[in-house]
Amino acid sequence: MTFLHAPYPAGRPRRLRVDDFTRRLVREHVLTPDDLIYPVFVLEGKKRREAVASMPGVERVSLDLLLPVAEDCVRLGIPVMALFPVIDAKRKDERGSESANPRGLIPTVVRELKKRFPELGVMTDVALDPYTSHGQDGLLDKAGYILNDETVEVLVKQALTQAAAGVDIVAPSDMMDGRIGAIRTALEKKGHALTRIMAYSAKYASAFYGPFRDAVGSAANLGKSNKKVYQMDPGNTHEALHEVAIDIAEGADMVMVKPGMPYLDIVRRVKDEFRVPTFAYQVSGEYAMLKAAAQNGWLDHDAVMMESLLAFKRAGADGVLTYFARDAARMLLNR
């Protein structure tokens, strides 16, 4: 494609930057509260609140303390809250059995949120790492290798349990082969045809997940192990398109790229190639870096928060999972 430009002085690009109203008039991409998904960490019990040391401003909270947060999301116009469980070590085992407990933490929280705030979308993580004693997203064989098909069977049970509780969106983040098709088939058979699937389609084996693993309590269990046999190699881009294509073909309604800013090139390639609802996760490590730099006075907190979120929109993301969601929504509304 060839673009024609008037030569200087007939062409002066700075004319369109001369004042605020003109800059707003010609702005190509904008961020609104509708673009935000707010991830939260929920604890068992009541009146429990725990700060996540590696994520300043982020807390693990019990359901009773989560309800005012949900109410705030509704008031701010944030469409969806994403739930991540913090499970007591006594409930963890090698198979992540607690993940499919209909009276477990996540189904209980989903039912209460949908009863009190039906207009707030609720998304749940489909993965076993918060529930396994070894911290991996799947079942292990005797050599410690992650079993694919056996893991998918457990993930299907987890997804069905969440759907039965009334969740709006299930989000498989495990990166097992074939899990989207298996979950979609099971949802259809059990009468959950309208339960949406947001697939973590291009999820990389990233070092940016550290604070999240601290928050959900899987870091200690994982130890020196890693997830490179199922999460993607950070050096690959074509593979991401292959993964996304498979998930769409298996019935994903939306796809996600994770992490976010270090992988904006992947977001752009996915959106350009498939033209489907595409999301990105501004992960815990990204959040922690910006927070730490701002606390040290090295960066303007609000300015870099908003600039980083706008970058996702510019790269092609339809929405962003971010721990900044409530702060960003407040700024947007106050404007």
Side-chain angles (χ1 to χ4, degrees), residues 102-265:
R103 294 178 296 278
L105 176 61
I106 289 299
T108 300
V109 173
V110 168
R111 284 191 292 268
E112 193 65 20
L113 287 175
K114 293 310 299 182
K115 181 175 71 174
R116 291 174 179 254
F117 309 103
E119 69 273 46
L120 177 65
V122 178
M123 185 167 87
T124 47
D125 186 46
V126 179
L128 301 185
D129 52 331
Y131 301 93
T132 56
S133 54
H134 44 72
Q136 294 284 2
D137 294 63
L139 310 185
L140 308 180
D141 67 10
K142 293 181 180 179
Y145 184 75
I146 309 301
L147 297 167
N148 192 90
D149 296 2
E150 293 84 347
T151 296
V152 170
E153 291 180 7
V154 181
L155 296 172
V156 167
K157 294 177 183 178
Q158 181 183 17
L160 287 175
T161 299
Q162 295 170 354
V167 76
D168 301 292
I169 306 169
V170 293
S173 66
D174 56 285
M175 289 299 288
M176 297 298 122
D177 295 337
R179 89 276 200 214
I180 300 301
I183 290 171
R184 173 55 72 205
T185 298
L187 290 172
E188 292 286 334
K189 287 182 177 179
K190 293 295 184 178
H192 303 297
L194 296 182
T195 302
R196 283 128 282 176
I197 297 177
M198 181 186 292
Y200 285 64
S201 297
K203 182 177 180 180
Y204 285 83
S206 172
F208 284 92
Y209 302 148
F212 175 92
R213 291 172 183 167
D214 291 339
V216 298
S218 65
N221 293 333
L222 188 62
K224 295 183 178 180
S225 300
N226 60 63
K227 303 187 177 185
K228 295 181 179 180
V229 299
Y230 49 99
Q231 295 179 357
M232 286 180 52
D233 189 321
N236 294 352
T237 61
H238 297 312
E239 183 185 16
L241 301 186
H242 181 66
E243 289 277 5
V244 170
I246 291 172
D247 286 353
I248 294 171
E250 291 184 0
D253 302 289
M254 299 165 274
V255 298
M256 188 200 301
V257 174
K258 183 181 180 184
M261 287 194 71
Y263 296 84
L264 291 183
D265 59 318

Side-chain angles (χ1 to χ4, degrees), residues 9-20:
R12 290 180 181 267
R14 287 185 58 191
R15 289 193 194 105
L16 297 180
R17 305 171 197 151
V18 69
D19 50 36
D20 179 67

Side-chain angles (χ1 to χ4, degrees), residues 54 56 208 211 262 283-295 298-299:
S54 53
F208 284 92
V283 298
S284 58
E286 300 172 62
Y287 173 87
M289 288 193 304
L290 295 181
K291 279 288 187 179
Q295 287 179 344
W298 299 335
L299 292 173

